[in-house]
C-alpha cells in the first residue's frame, strides 16, 4: 500500500480527514492516545494508505548512498570554509607574527 494517495483529490480528502481527526482526538487537545491512533488508522484504511510513518520505512541502498554523499559534501564544504577563514585570518596578521601570510615580489 502507498503511504499517501497518489490522486490529488483523494490526497486532499485524506489530509482533511486526518486533520479533522487530529482536531478532535489529538492528545494535545485533551483526547485519548489510543482513540486518536485508532481513528487515524481507520482513516488510513478508508483511503487505502499504509499508516507507517516515513521514518519507519527501511532505507534503501540508494537512499543510504545519497545520504552518505550529502554528508561527505557537507564535510568537504565545512573543511573548505574553515581553510578559507584560516587563510583570511592569517593574511590579516602582522608580518612579524609567525604563521602570517604575506607575499611580495623580489
Amino acid at each position: 500500500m502507498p503511504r499517501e494517495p497518489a490522486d490529488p483529490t483523494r490526497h486532499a480528502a485524506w489530509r482533511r480527514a486526518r486533520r479533522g481527526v487530529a482536531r478532535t482526538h489529538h492528545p494535545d487537545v485533551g483526547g485519548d492516545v489510543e482513540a486518536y491512533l485508532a481513528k487515524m488508522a481507520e482513516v488510513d484504511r478508508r483511503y487505502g494508505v499504509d499508516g507507517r510513518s516515513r521514518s519507519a520505512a527501511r532505507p534503501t541502498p540508494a537512499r543510504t548512498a545519497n545520504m552518505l554523499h550529502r554528508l561527505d559534501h557537507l564535510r568537504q564544504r565545512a573543511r573548505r570554509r574553515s581553510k578559507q577563514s584560516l587563510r583570511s585570518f592569517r593574511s590579516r596578521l602582522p608580518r612579524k607574527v609567525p604563521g602570517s601570510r604575506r607575499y611580495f615580489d623580489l
Side-chain angles (χ1 to χ4, degrees), residues 14-42:
W14 173 73
R15 285 182 60 177
R16 276 194 304 274
R18 284 180 62 91
R19 287 180 179 168
V21 168
R23 276 192 301 272
T24 56
H25 297 288
H26 196 276
D28 288 347
V29 292
D32 183 37
V33 175
E34 289 82 19
Y36 170 69
L37 294 176
K39 294 284 186 179
M40 284 296 215
E42 191 270 321

Side-chain angles (χ1 to χ4, degrees), residues 55-70:
S55 62
R58 176 173 285 180
T60 62
R63 281 183 62 195
T64 303
N66 186 27
M67 286 189 279
L68 291 175
H69 174 73
R70 291 177 66 194

Side-chain angles (χ1 to χ4, degrees), residues 45-74:
R45 271 193 307 275
R46 188 176 348 137
Y47 286 94
V49 174
D50 184 9
R52 293 181 304 153
S53 68
R54 290 176 192 261
S55 62
R58 176 173 285 180
T60 62
R63 281 183 62 195
T64 303
N66 186 27
M67 286 189 279
L68 291 175
H69 174 73
R70 291 177 66 194
L71 287 173
D72 188 45
H73 175 71
L74 290 174

